[in-house]
Amino acid sequence: MRRFALVIFLGLTSVALMPAETGPLQGLGGYSDEAARVERDWESKFKAIPEPQNLRAYMERLSARPHHLGSPYDKDNAEWILAQFKGWGLDAHIESFEVLFPTPKERVVELVAPTRFTARLQEPTVAADPTSNQHDEQLPTYNAYSADGDVTAPLVYVNHGIPEDYEQLERLGISVKGAIVITRYGASWRGIKPKVAAEHGALGCLIYSDPRDDGYSQGDVFPEGAWRPREGAQRGSVMDMPLYTGDPLTPGVPATPDAKRLPLEEVKTITRIPTLPLSYGDAQPLLAALAGPVAPDDWRGALPITYHLGPGPAKVHLKLKANWDIKPIYNVIVRIPGSAYPDEWIVRGNHHDAWVNGADDPVSAMAALMEEARAFGELLKQGWKPKRTIIYCAWDAEEQGLIGSTEWAEAHANELRRHAAVYINTDANGRGYLNASGSHTLEKFINEVARDIVDPEKKMPVWQRRRLKLIADAQSKEERDEVRARPDWRIGALGSGSDYTVFIDHLGVASLNLGYGDEDGGGIYHSIYDDFYWYTHFSDTDFAYGRALAQTVGTAVMRLANAELLPYDFTDFADTIRKYADDLKKLLKTKQDEIREQNRQIEEGVFDATADPKKTFVPPAIEEVPPQLNFAPLENALEKLTASAGDYRKAWEKAHENGGGALARASLQEVNAKLIESERKLTSPEGLPGRPWYKHQIYAPGAYTGYGVKTIPGVREAIEQKKWQEADEQLVLIGKILQDEAALIESAARELEQAIK
Ligand SMILES: [Zn+2]
């Protein structure tokens, strides 16, 4: 990998693309110098427009009342956002769908043995916080798309409730069959917890917020500090989104009034067992009533109790009943038609709905989206004419399962496949560093944008601040060396968890997810305390980073909309795929080594000798060592990919020579069409094994991690789940995908060379 990084570095000797520390940037990727001058001029006008006090005012308005899917204030907000867009002179409209949205009718959690305790399941009013008393409009604490149920069973503590935790329980001789599990938030997306619990035979699932993770162990609790108070609970969806996102009744098609809907009992994304979130105030008596073995060291939270595993003697009664209603949702859509290439679209979105008041999630970033739109309205009045069509989207129903964006994208799937070049998403925003994840074909582009945005606290480019943070946080000399040598910092891969999912994973639209953060923590996520009071006391209180976010995303949108040549790059992409391929080989080797070692210890009698006879211990059984897999199809494709990425880079550099006059003269529509296609090519029509809705072959949320990304997921998950034949088949498939990608890049390179002759 270091060898590869060096090649890339040497390949990038043109002045325009050197790291910022070697001097200010002259040119702009994808632009002739002349076009770049015009673009930079408009960009500086744009960057001067967003105002912190506007962001504050939008937040105060949008988060004034609870505004979840189906609530009166959700609709009110959508109409207000629409009116603002129109007031700024933009062409805007609402697109509505009708979706399944369960809300609780009955919620009961009680300890029935050995003592009695009834969980309150209510977040109390906090006197200092003026919106915390809006109980009539607040959704109760619950997990949406949990199955209904009424069960009484012994309790078992299962830590984070991920597959590894159940392996450890098995060693300790503990089964959850016929039990209710209590698990803490963290380590996976919440929907994975009831899924894995049900697979192990549990009857119910409670998910609580441990103070170790976001309560008093981290800092002072609300309202004295930012962290989760004793009765604060995390609402959230437990829909099985790794299967498909959006309305559970209409997979793959838009949820229009006359859509064909699945009967409820056929829906696969609803949990199999009743599931409910708890505050640590409600969880403590339950956990304290457990006996059995003491929980392993790293399973213990910060409650003042000894953590036991059970089962029992604690016995719990869990009863859930929901209203399974169909509710309308309201996406607000703005369209700024392109002047030169109206059929190439730059799409940008953020959701407007919240679990409750949602000042941080989503309004902190929704406000930035609105300031960008207002600024574009201003620029249009001054004569700005973006070449490509810009589409701004304020999504509804994100929190329940990315529903607004999914239904809209399914409704417009054919147009989006033909026209969408890039989708840019934001969700929440705070103080600190720019975080960027997304398609690695856009890695170089977003690095370039970040070099031109000033950090409000440190007055240096946000690019530089992020880079220095990476050096500070690096775990090894190799990591530090790489950050210092590489012209771009690496961006993360996208899993799931926000509205980009349908665009990248289902449709193959190159996507980015952006936001500032990491300086302020907090424990108000999905609670009634995520509100204006909390945000203006404990997060980006002066909205300086809200302004930076509007500047960052707006600049990215403008640059994409006006570039003569779309700023995709494939060298960083090929470098990233190389890294993923190495990770896969390492993963297989580690599995082989671990199983070999475990088998050896079984034969040596290690487990038998070290098991405490006074404690239950079930030794592991001898396991077959994973076979070698054939990585040749992937390796061969990678060689082609690296070569074609290099060829495209050469053509790109040639196009930018001598002030990029060739770019200004050339007709680049054919090249741009190929560039747009480059992300589509990474999808396969049949999708991933067992989940055909997920079409992208490089990025997907893990079937057992939820938000967490799995890269080259077809192969990786087959290895993790020990499906060796499937792993080999998937290696052939990814080889083919990447061969096709390489051929497309190669033809784009040739096309570009022709065009600039
Ligand atoms: Zn959100």
Side-chain angles (χ1 to χ4, degrees), residues 123-380:
E123 298 179 292
T125 301
V126 165
D129 176 353
T131 60
S132 62
N133 65 355
Q134 298 168 338
H135 299 300
D136 291 349
E137 290 176 64
Q138 293 162 354
L139 276 176
T141 56
Y142 80 119
N143 288 129
Y145 307 98
S146 155
D148 288 346
D150 187 350
V151 288
T152 302
L155 193 65
V156 179
Y157 175 56
V158 298
N159 192 31
H160 293 116
I162 56 176
E164 293 92 295
D165 293 330
Y166 288 91
E167 279 170 30
Q168 204 159 339
L169 285 173
E170 208 181 305
R171 294 283 81 76
L172 298 167
I174 294 174
S175 161
V176 302
K177 215 168 181 161
I180 292 174
V181 302
I182 182 163
T183 164
R184 56 173 165 154
Y185 271 110
S188 78
W189 171 63
R190 78 180 78 71
I192 300 304
K193 299 168 193 285
K195 173 165 147 174
V196 180
E199 285 173 2
H200 286 83
L203 301 179
C205 179
L206 299 169
I207 312 174
Y208 81 102
S209 300
D210 196 285
R212 163 87 64 216
D213 304 313
D214 66 1
Y216 54 72
S217 178
Q218 296 292 331
D220 291 326
V221 302
F222 190 70
E224 285 72 35
W227 298 91
R228 197 176 296 277
R230 187 167 181 80
E231 307 296 337
Q234 184 191 133
R235 289 160 192 74
S237 176
V238 286
M239 181 194 283
D240 194 1
M241 281 187 260
L243 210 51
Y244 62 90
T245 66
D247 174 34
L249 302 183
T250 59
V253 297
T256 52
D258 55 352
K260 203 168 159 261
R261 288 179 161 73
L262 291 175
L264 207 51
E265 57 279 9
E266 279 177 30
V267 172
K268 293 207 173 68
T269 55
I270 294 171
T271 65
R272 281 156 54 193
I273 56 174
T275 304
L276 198 73
L278 294 179
S279 66
Y280 54 88
D282 277 340
Q284 186 174 331
L286 274 53
L287 288 164
L290 283 171
V294 171
D297 227 354
D298 54 349
W299 286 36
R300 299 171 202 163
L303 287 169
I305 57 168
T306 302
Y307 285 69
H308 291 267
L309 299 174
K315 201 174 202 190
V316 168
H317 174 214
L318 166 64
K319 185 174 183 192
L320 290 180
K321 211 169 160 51
N323 298 298
W324 293 87
D325 296 329
I326 305 275
K327 295 278 186 187
I329 63 169
Y330 307 94
N331 294 323
V332 192
I333 310 290
V334 171
R335 191 185 185 91
I336 303 172
S339 60
Y341 316 116
D343 288 339
E344 294 173 10
W345 299 355
I346 310 301
V347 189
R348 188 274 189 259
N350 194 103
H351 68 101
H352 68 74
D353 69 297
W355 274 112
V356 196
N357 298 69
D360 177 49
D361 177 10
V363 176
S364 58
M366 182 65 218
L369 180 148
M370 291 183 67
E371 264 310 72
E372 294 158 43
R374 183 178 73 83
F376 288 169
E378 292 277 313
L379 296 188
L380 288 165

Side-chain angles (χ1 to χ4, degrees), residues 351 361-362 398-399 427:
H351 68 101
D361 177 10
E398 188 269 355
E399 295 294 3
D427 198 325

Side-chain angles (χ1 to χ4, degrees), residues 332-628:
V332 192
I333 310 290
V334 171
R335 191 185 185 91
I336 303 172
S339 60
Y341 316 116
D343 288 339
E344 294 173 10
W345 299 355
I346 310 301
V347 189
R348 188 274 189 259
N350 194 103
H351 68 101
H352 68 74
D353 69 297
W355 274 112
V356 196
N357 298 69
D360 177 49
D361 177 10
V363 176
S364 58
M366 182 65 218
L369 180 148
M370 291 183 67
E371 264 310 72
E372 294 158 43
R374 183 178 73 83
F376 288 169
E378 292 277 313
L379 296 188
L380 288 165
K381 281 176 205 149
Q382 295 173 30
W384 176 61
K385 286 195 182 69
K387 290 195 174 88
R388 296 187 176 82
T389 295
I390 295 172
I391 298 177
Y392 263 54
C393 313
W395 307 119
D396 199 352
E398 188 269 355
E399 295 294 3
Q400 288 71 20
L402 321 177
I403 298 179
S405 55
T406 300
E407 298 312 315
W408 186 83
E410 286 175 349
H412 299 277
N414 288 332
E415 296 164 88
L416 287 164
R417 281 195 197 98
R418 276 200 302 276
H419 305 307
V422 175
Y423 174 72
I424 303 184
N425 191 72
T426 55
D427 198 325
N429 196 57
R431 241 162 31 90
Y433 306 89
L434 176 62
N435 293 313
S437 308
S439 301
H440 289 83
T441 51
L442 298 173
E443 182 171 276
K444 195 169 284 301
F445 166 71
I446 200 60
N447 269 267
E448 199 177 86
V449 171
R451 287 182 175 99
D452 289 345
I453 307 297
V454 178
D455 183 278
E457 286 173 339
K458 302 289 175 174
K459 314 295 179 205
M460 59 170 71
V462 299
W463 180 84
Q464 181 71 346
R465 194 176 181 204
R466 167 100 221 151
R467 184 171 170 274
L468 296 174
K469 172 78 169 157
L470 287 170
I471 292 171
D473 289 353
Q475 299 292 309
S476 64
K477 183 175 183 305
E478 281 73 22
E479 272 183 46
R480 267 192 303 277
D481 286 350
E482 190 194 71
V483 176
R484 287 182 176 130
R486 210 170 182 272
D488 306 312
W489 31 250
R490 291 185 183 279
I491 62 172
L494 288 174
S496 183
S498 195
D499 292 305
Y500 49 78
T501 306
V502 69
F503 292 95
I504 185 160
D505 292 336
H506 185 61
L507 296 173
V509 176
S511 298
L512 286 170
N513 189 50
L514 303 172
Y516 287 87
D518 304 343
E519 278 189 316
D520 298 304
I524 46 73
Y525 180 62
H526 292 184
S527 79
I528 66 170
Y529 312 115
D530 176 2
D531 59 17
F532 189 70
Y533 180 88
W534 182 89
Y535 197 87
T536 52
H537 283 79
F538 300 111
S539 190
D540 179 25
T541 54
D542 59 2
F543 294 85
Y545 279 91
R547 181 167 179 264
L549 184 67
Q551 292 174 330
T552 309
V553 183
T555 300
V557 169
M558 291 174 79
R559 243 175 233 193
L560 287 164
N562 285 313
E564 288 154 313
L565 181 59
L566 278 167
Y568 290 67
D569 162 81
F570 302 100
T571 52
D572 281 1
F573 173 70
D575 172 44
T576 305
I577 303 291
R578 156 56 58 204
K579 196 168 173 314
Y580 293 165
D582 290 346
D583 289 348
L584 287 177
K585 289 187 196 162
K586 233 179 283 164
L587 175 69
L588 178 65
K589 169 115 189 6
T590 308
K591 288 239 171 228
Q592 291 168 331
D593 290 349
E594 275 171 9
I595 291 175
R596 231 178 255 126
E597 175 62 26
Q598 183 175 291
N599 288 349
R600 187 169 174 187
Q601 291 191 15
I602 293 169
E603 278 157 9
E604 287 170 336
V606 171
F607 291 102
D608 190 45
T610 57
D612 180 341
K614 293 194 173 166
K615 290 178 183 163
T616 308
F617 179 77
V618 183
I622 293 272
E623 244 185 272
E624 202 184 320
V625 178
Q628 296 303 339

